[in-house]
Amino acid sequence: MRHCQRCRKPSQILTMSFFNTEMICIACKDAERAHPDYEKAKQIELEQCLQGNLNFEGIGLPEDLK
């Protein structure tokens, strides 16, 4: 079983954060979605991908999600 890189809890399902390169569980992803900067992080990620930067490290994890 894998562990969430943010909360460290075991999880069978992980997804990439839009704020950084952490693989996170669904509970942490839900917390991200509720954050006021989530849409901004998604948009910047999309722009970077469209420019060919497929290794974008994200805009950084906000302090209140750590």
Side-chain angles (χ1 to χ4, degrees):
M1 178 165 293
R2 296 177 172 171
H3 289 81
C4 175
Q5 291 181 316
R6 187 166 301 158
C7 71
R8 308 285 184 227
K9 293 180 182 172
S11 179
Q12 291 186 18
I13 300 172
L14 298 173
T15 186
M16 179 72 75
S17 168
F18 275 110
F19 288 108
N20 59 22
T21 58
E22 291 177 325
M23 294 300 293
I24 58 175
C25 67
I26 300 303
C28 288
K29 186 65 168 188
D30 289 343
E32 269 199 6
R33 284 188 189 109
H35 195 276
D37 291 338
Y38 181 73
E39 290 301 322
K40 174 184 167 186
K42 274 181 55 175
Q43 183 60 38
I44 293 172
E45 171 84 16
L46 174 61
E47 290 168 5
Q48 289 293 311
C49 287
L50 292 174
Q51 292 174 20
N53 183 4
L54 302 181
N55 294 312
F56 182 61
E57 293 183 5
I59 64 171
L61 186 65
E63 284 294 319
D64 55 345
L65 285 178
K66 292 182 181 180

